[in-house]
Amino acid sequence: MDTQHFIVARAASRWSVSFHGTQEGPFSTKEAALEAAIGAATAASEQGMMVAVLVQDIESNFHTAWTSGGDAPDGPLASSA
């Protein structure tokens, strides 16, 4: 089964969450967007999907913040960009 991705990214001064062509937000902070993404990903996981939440950093790289498999994040996510 393929892993589906919830993407937390910044555009201008706002944050958004994207999943399968849909977008939620804007959120004023990365933390608020991340919380919304993890909540939605958790619900999708409970429906049997393999999911991950990826967060874009200031250099446009993506880091894993949460996975349905419980893997640890792969990058610094606590600081705001």
Side-chain angles (χ1 to χ4, degrees):
M1 181 184 306
D2 290 337
T3 300
Q4 305 299 310
H5 297 101
F6 286 82
I7 306 295
V8 176
R10 186 175 184 165
S13 63
R14 301 288 184 182
W15 290 86
S16 65
V17 177
S18 301
F19 181 70
H20 283 256
T22 64
Q23 191 167 2
E24 290 187 40
F27 299 93
S28 58
T29 66
K30 176 173 69 174
E31 291 76 15
L34 185 57
E35 183 178 330
I38 291 172
T42 299
S45 175
E46 290 170 354
Q47 297 298 317
M49 293 178 71
M50 294 294 297
V51 292
V53 175
L54 304 178
V55 178
Q56 185 179 33
D57 67 18
I58 197 163
E59 297 171 350
S60 296
N61 298 310
F62 288 91
H63 303 278
T64 304
W66 183 92
T67 66
S68 56
D71 294 339
D74 66 4
L77 300 172
S79 62
S80 295

